Amino acid sequence: MATQAHALPATRKPFLAEALDWITTVDHKKIGILYLCLNFFFFILAGVMALVIRTQLAWSNLKIVDPDRYNELFTMHGTTMIFLVIVPIWAGFANYVLPLMIGARDMAFPRLNAFSFWLLFFSGLVMYSSYFFGTVPNAGWTAYPPLTADANALPGIDFWILGLHLGGLSSLFGAINFIVTTMRLRAPGMKLTQVPMFVWSMLVTSFMVLFGTPMLSVAITLLLADRHFGTSFFLPAGGGDPLLWQNLFWFYSHPAVYIMILPAMGLVSEVLQTFSRKPLFGYSFIAWSSVAIAVLGFSVWAHHMFQVGSSLAVNTFFSLATIVIAVPTGVKIFNWIATMWGGALRLEPPMYFAIGMVTMFIIGGLSGVMLGSVPVNWQMHQTYFVVAHLHYVLFGGSVFGIFGAFYYWLPKMTGFKLNRSLGVWHFWLMMMGFNLTFFPQHIAGILGMPRRIYTYAANQGWETYNLLSTLGAFLIAVSVLVFIINFFVSARKAEPAGENPWEAPSLEWATSSPPPEYNFAQIPTVSGQNPLWARPGGAADPSGHGTH
Amino acid sequence: MKSAVSTRWWLTFIVFAVVTIGAVAALVWASVGQPEPTLGACPPACPYEFRLPSTLLPASDEAGSINFLFMMILVLAGIVFVVVEGALIFTVFKFRNRPPETALQIHGDTKLEIAWTAAPALILFVIMGFTLRTMSEVRGPATGQVLTVKAIGHQFWWEFRYPNQNVVTASELVVPVNTTIEVALESVDVEHGFWAPELFGKVDAIPGYTTRVRFTPTSVGRGEYGGQCTQYCGTQHAQMRFSVLVKTQAEFDAWVAAQQQPAPAAETLAGDVKAGYDAFLNPQNACVACHQIDGTTAAGQIGPNLTHVGSRAHLAGGILANTPANLAAWLRGPQDVKPGNKMVIRKLDDATINSLVAYLTSLK
């Protein structure tokens, strides 16, 4: 594997030519960076919305925003975080690193890849253009009809439907591309059972997208028809059924949780083994637990519907399926701990975030089991207990994973190292801010505080928990600021990262940082799971186990 | 971590913390300091004092069973939490910063894998067993004395009908102690969620469906339990509240007898009350388009039935204490008090408002 001295062009292209180059690019690395920039922009936007939400709820009877604005805020915060940040940002990372990790020159369908990105771009544009038309989506990210079936009362839902359609297609095309790329373009010698765990996670995730997303598209198309073409799919007056929406919507939207968390789990697997200098413990168990989660993930959607009065049998089935998902999830967690056991841990920022992700995800998983028990769900559903739970999974799990991925792969993408000490600060501030924000929400929920309320009465005993939560939210904002500062400070300092700054075992580290357009001068030949560790000289694995 | 964290960073952190805390505190202070503009005439205790709700203080058999289950799972989850997080953190501390060549090169252990698949599965099946038992306990068929009530969700208030007693009321569910209350839920517009944390787990009211929940209050206790809509239903979802008033059987019977009476006949009214009666029935004021008062010609079916509105403790979907001042503020501008609610009323002069308040508060 050649070390390509990546020669920077001596002269910069004029701005317009540079911009045109980025707009028309079909290079997976540039598309990956476009994704990451777009998703990070929306992350900041959704974060600012969260700060306004938290400020409004800091105490009882506040009037920072009026009810309609508040309802728009929590709708757009949720929709943005799910459909414009967490789901697609993994497509962004995978775009950049997946072809490199399997030793390919690009994605299987580069033009389709660019198309996926631009669909996402317009998805965001359509969704946010609602602010210019003054009709912002305002029915929560779940948009339950009959409330949303009335196009006159809630005109903004059309922007939500259209945006989701574009985002859904983007996600779908991306999934097809990742599946074909992984199946067809692996370097010679790399078996499907030896791909890096992040690649495997993206493969499983892509199959989930493939099966789930069409259902969401169907649901929102029917909703559009109910709104504008006089149909009654969800309207009982015309013979329709509001619960049909809940079934269709959650058939996608529960698996969506795993679409958001499985890539984070893949990232954690990569980082833990790299920074423990020790191969992943139980590779095949971790790999197959992802498949088990994906399969079970499609049979738990009605746990979002325990309060609609289903029969004992239906509730029992979905409760059991939900609780059983904790088994493959537990397998992952135990294997991660075993990966670190006996290792030589280097505590670098990616490792902090990976360990942080596991510690927080355990909490989210345990509250998930609690919510999977039907009677407990009857009490806790639709309260802040659920808000806390979902943020422990999606922030403590996915977002910690996302920042782990940034610290891990940014040196590869940019060619410069990130400041370690600022990275560690970012981690601890975010860890404190996150727990300060979301732990008290469990208690508020147990004390009966419902979600999606723009205000609450005094004397309910909720103020203290909400105030803590608000303070925590601002601490998270500070931590993200530290990350942004770190990026620019490090860019200015421009300390070269080198080919493989973390002494990691997978192929993306076998080329220059950033890699040349063609990725590898010569496509590497691989045997074993951890090719770079098996290489003479590059081995953290002197016994040669990496070649198995 | 042994990163060289300089004083500079401590200082930056402290500055950030102080600024954030200060900013939030200032915002909160500014907002709390503001008197409610629309309720300016009202003394501070006027807005209805909602009682502290909590799933941890069950006041019915059903909520008690769920609380027991919750506590049991919480303890199990707590043990798992301590063990797993403990193992994780211990591992990180034990193996951090060790020389690279000490890293063990092992790939897995099938026996271990089986053990840590089986152990959680075992715990989960125990949880599932208790879940099933509690589920049938809480929503299975009722035994003993049963009172049937219909709860109907409206944007943004709850209507309660007692079909066997022929009583209709709003925002307050009055029930006798030690009787199983079977609530049948319906909705006239969108989906709503019905929940009083101390008494029962939530059930949605879904258009086109009749869903059910039951609860058996075990003691009069505080007498009043807060409840709230839990399924997002539009602008004022946050202020769609109700309360459950638990009474002794004798008190309940007396309440039913009173509620069954029609409103006093016009001939018995005089002064302000009579003027209010006339104003209410005046079609130009449009009250009768939405509201019903038994014993009068007012037969609107959209808003709450007001036959005994004077006997209720709350107004406006359970968010205001039923005082003359609050009622007047509501009639002056319902959209100022609860923006986005469905009550439309034309601008009334003070004299009309005062007479309407006099009439409505007289409807005990």
Side-chain angles (χ1 to χ4, degrees):
Chain A
M1 274 154 282
T3 308
Q4 286 293 319
H6 182 54
L8 286 167
T11 51
R12 287 185 72 92
K13 276 191 252 181
F15 177 75
L16 268 180
E18 184 75 28
L20 197 68
D21 188 34
W22 280 91
I23 289 171
T24 57
T25 187
V26 292
D27 175 9
H28 73 99
K29 297 183 289 301
K30 283 189 167 173
I31 293 172
I33 287 170
L34 287 174
Y35 263 105
L36 295 179
C37 292
L38 184 75
N39 301 141
F40 195 77
F41 168 76
F42 280 121
F43 174 72
I44 299 295
L45 207 59
V48 170
M49 289 176 166
L51 292 181
V52 180
I53 290 172
R54 280 315 324 160
T55 310
Q56 165 71 14
L57 293 180
W59 205 255
S60 53
N61 293 317
L62 296 191
K63 291 189 165 59
I64 313 286
V65 288
D66 67 31
D68 285 324
R69 295 297 87 69
Y70 182 87
N71 296 335
E72 293 166 5
L73 279 169
F74 79 72
T75 301
M76 291 303 276
H77 168 79
T79 307
T80 305
M81 280 307 296
I82 292 166
F83 295 106
L84 296 173
V85 182
I86 303 182
V87 169
I89 204 168
W90 289 115
F93 282 116
N95 240 298
Y96 199 102
V97 300
L98 189 139
L100 288 165
M101 288 178 114
I102 60 169
R105 294 208 189 278
D106 204 319
M107 296 280 282
F109 308 116
R111 282 168 196 281
L112 186 68
N113 197 19
F115 188 48
S116 297
F117 169 75
W118 290 106
L119 279 173
L120 183 74
F121 179 84
F122 284 105
S123 160
L125 206 64
V126 165
M127 208 94 85
Y128 275 87
S129 66
S130 61
Y131 272 98
F132 298 99
F133 291 95
T135 56
V136 185
N138 56 352
W141 82 278
T142 55
Y144 279 10
L147 179 66
T148 50
D150 185 344
N152 295 321
L154 279 78
I157 302 298
D158 289 329
F159 291 93
W160 185 82
I161 292 176
L162 206 56
L164 244 54
H165 258 308
L166 294 172
L169 281 177
S170 160
S171 191
L172 210 52
F173 292 152
I176 292 169
N177 221 338
F178 289 128
I179 291 172
V180 178
T181 305
T182 310
M183 290 302 193
R184 307 294 303 160
L185 298 185
R186 293 193 308 280
M190 186 185 279
K191 293 184 194 139
L192 192 59
T193 51
Q194 294 172 332
V195 293
M197 199 48 73
F198 182 72
V199 174
W200 180 264
S201 300
M202 281 310 295
L203 184 67
V204 176
T205 303
S206 298
F207 274 109
M208 295 192 82
V209 169
L210 208 57
F211 288 124
T213 312
M215 200 62 106
L216 178 71
S217 302
V218 166
I220 57 182
T221 306
L222 300 186
L223 185 60
L224 194 69
D226 272 12
R227 288 167 61 78
H228 295 292
F229 312 136
T231 58
S232 291
F233 292 107
F234 307 122
L235 299 172
D241 184 348
L243 291 188
L244 175 63
W245 168 268
Q246 295 194 23
N247 280 304
L248 292 176
F249 180 82
W250 288 115
F251 188 85
Y252 166 76
S253 295
H254 191 78
V257 175
Y258 301 106
I259 290 169
M260 290 183 269
I261 197 72
L262 281 177
M265 291 172 157
L267 176 275
V268 165
S269 303
E270 297 295 333
V271 169
L272 289 185
Q273 76 167 355
T274 297
F275 292 88
S276 305
R277 296 169 180 272
K278 188 168 163 286
L280 207 52
F281 192 92
Y283 176 97
S284 57
F285 287 92
I286 294 185
W288 287 105
S289 66
S290 297
V291 177
I293 288 173
V295 172
L296 284 169
F298 276 104
S299 55
V300 300
W301 78 88
H303 73 211
H304 296 269
M305 301 165 58
F306 284 152
Q307 75 286 10
V308 304
S310 308
S311 69
L312 192 74
V314 169
N315 283 346
T316 304
F317 172 81
F318 284 103
S319 182
L320 190 62
T322 303
I323 284 178
V324 163
I325 284 202
V327 173
T329 310
V331 166
K332 277 186 193 294
I333 289 166
F334 295 129
N335 276 298
W336 287 331
I337 296 174
T339 300
M340 287 190 281
W341 185 267
L345 310 192
R346 284 177 302 163
L347 296 180
E348 295 289 337
M351 187 64 164
Y352 275 100
F353 277 96
I355 297 170
M357 184 277 188
V358 182
T359 55
M360 293 301 103
F361 185 75
I362 291 170
I363 300 176
L366 289 171
S367 58
V369 169
M370 300 179 82
L371 287 166
S373 170
V374 182
V376 173
N377 187 288
W378 285 332
Q379 283 287 25
M380 298 305 159
H381 197 57
Q382 306 287 12
T383 71
Y384 262 84
F385 189 87
V386 170
V387 177
H389 159 71
L390 78 91
H391 282 92
Y392 268 88
V393 174
L394 293 183
F395 196 119
S398 303
V399 174
F400 272 66
I402 286 166
F403 280 110
F406 270 125
Y407 281 103
Y408 189 54
W409 282 316
L410 266 181
K412 173 58 57 183
M413 299 175 187
T414 60
F416 60 78
K417 280 185 179 165
L418 288 166
N419 182 298
R420 179 184 185 276
S421 149
L422 280 174
V424 173
W425 267 100
H426 170 196
F427 171 76
W428 284 112
L429 286 174
M430 187 168 263
M431 192 71 170
M432 285 192 294
F434 169 73
N435 281 293
L436 190 58
T437 307
F438 295 108
F439 199 82
Q441 293 185 358
H442 288 115
I443 302 167
I446 291 170
L447 294 181
M449 180 172 173
R451 65 193 292 202
R452 297 180 175 139
I453 55 170
Y454 74 88
T455 190
Y456 50 93
N459 307 322
Q460 303 200 71
W462 299 339
E463 279 101 338
T464 318
Y465 306 106
N466 277 285
L467 189 60
L468 288 175
S469 196
T470 304
L471 293 175
F474 280 91
L475 205 54
I476 294 177
V478 170
S479 77
V480 175
L481 219 56
V482 172
F483 172 72
I484 295 170
I485 291 169
N486 188 353
F487 182 84
F488 287 107
V489 166
S490 304
R492 213 184 154 82
K493 208 171 164 196
E495 196 184 331
E499 206 174 75
N500 191 357
W502 311 123
E503 297 168 29
S506 44
L507 286 182
E508 78 269 32
W509 306 102
T511 181
S512 63
S513 306
E517 207 169 324
Y518 44 85
N519 291 352
F520 302 96
Q522 195 182 357
I523 295 293
T525 305
V526 183
S527 66
Q529 281 161 17
N530 295 323
L532 302 201
W533 281 354
R535 264 197 329 197
D541 188 359
S543 58
H545 283 287
T547 53
H548 293 177
Chain B
M1 92 201 204
K2 60 180 175 82
S3 66
V5 176
S6 64
T7 340
R8 197 157 50 107
W9 283 110
W10 277 112
L11 280 174
T12 322
F13 171 57
I14 291 164
V15 169
F16 271 134
V18 169
V19 168
T20 350
I21 294 169
V24 175
L27 275 170
V28 169
W29 184 256
S31 268
V32 170
Q34 303 273 326
E36 296 270 322
T38 53
L39 305 174
C42 186
C46 229
Y48 162 44
E49 280 198 33
F50 216 56
R51 305 307 166 94
L52 172 70
S54 171
T55 58
L56 303 177
L57 302 167
S60 75
D61 290 338
E62 290 76 5
S65 302
I66 298 182
N67 190 45
F68 173 78
L69 179 71
F70 175 78
M71 283 301 170
M72 198 205 74
I73 302 179
L74 186 66
V75 168
L76 282 176
I79 295 169
V80 174
F81 172 80
V82 170
V83 170
V84 180
E85 298 276 12
L88 174 62
I89 291 165
F90 176 76
T91 308
V92 172
F93 271 86
K94 188 171 162 65
F95 296 101
R96 76 188 194 287
N97 302 330
R98 300 215 312 179
E101 61 279 6
T102 61
L104 295 173
Q105 300 304 315
I106 46 173
H107 288 263
D109 183 334
T110 309
K111 273 186 203 145
L112 264 178
E113 300 285 352
I114 292 169
W116 63 45
T117 306
L122 217 63
I123 298 174
L124 293 171
F125 279 112
V126 171
I127 291 177
M128 196 61 214
F130 279 92
T131 294
L132 282 175
R133 205 188 71 174
T134 311
M135 227 156 90
S136 46
E137 231 172 64
V138 171
R139 296 270 163 100
T143 51
Q145 208 185 343
V146 171
L147 171 73
T148 309
V149 187
K150 208 175 191 184
I152 303 165
H154 299 254
Q155 283 172 319
F156 303 95
W157 58 282
W158 287 99
E159 176 180 1
F160 297 106
R161 291 178 172 265
Y162 297 69
N164 300 330
Q165 286 75 16
N166 203 20
V167 166
V168 181
T169 183
S171 300
E172 284 170 11
L173 177 58
V174 180
V175 297
V177 71
N178 290 328
T179 300
T180 300
I181 319 300
E182 284 212 313
V183 187
L185 286 135
E186 288 172 12
S187 166
V188 298
D189 38 46
V190 301
E191 289 177 25
H192 299 282
F194 189 64
W195 188 39
E198 285 99 337
L199 296 171
F200 50 87
K202 59 191 72 58
V203 178
D204 282 358
I206 304 159
Y209 283 83
T210 301
T211 49
R212 281 166 213 287
V213 64
R214 68 169 165 83
F215 64 99
T216 315
T218 44
S219 75
V220 172
R222 298 200 307 265
E224 178 175 351
Y225 300 96
Q228 188 158 348
C229 178
T230 50
Q231 184 67 271
Y232 181 75
C233 61
T235 308
Q236 278 296 347
H237 164 62
Q239 307 224 56
M240 180 168 167
R241 300 181 192 142
F242 66 95
S243 41
V244 182
L245 307 180
V246 180
K247 297 189 181 297
T248 63
Q249 189 65 45
E251 285 171 344
F252 177 74
D253 292 339
W255 177 82
V256 168
Q259 297 286 313
Q260 284 169 334
Q261 302 304 313
E267 310 84 74
T268 66
L269 307 176
D272 256 6
V273 174
K274 179 67 169 71
Y277 168 86
D278 292 334
F280 193 89
L281 293 182
N282 181 352
Q284 285 194 337
N285 291 338
C287 307
V288 295
C290 296
H291 293 287
Q292 178 171 6
I293 296 181
D294 299 344
T296 75
T297 55
Q301 292 298 314
I302 295 167
N305 183 313
L306 299 178
T307 311
H308 296 281
V309 65
S311 72
R312 296 177 198 156
H314 321 108
L315 294 171
I319 65 163
L320 295 176
N322 190 359
T323 63
N326 277 345
L327 184 53
W330 178 253
L331 292 173
R332 207 171 290 123
Q335 294 302 327
D336 298 326
V337 178
K338 189 172 166 180
N341 85 80
K342 300 285 179 185
M343 176 148 164
V344 280
I345 188 168
R346 71 186 181 115
K347 204 83 194 152
L348 299 173
D349 57 57
D350 283 354
T352 314
I353 287 176
N354 288 340
S355 60
L356 276 171
V357 169
Y359 174 58
L360 291 171
T361 44
S362 79
L363 296 172
K364 294 293 184 191

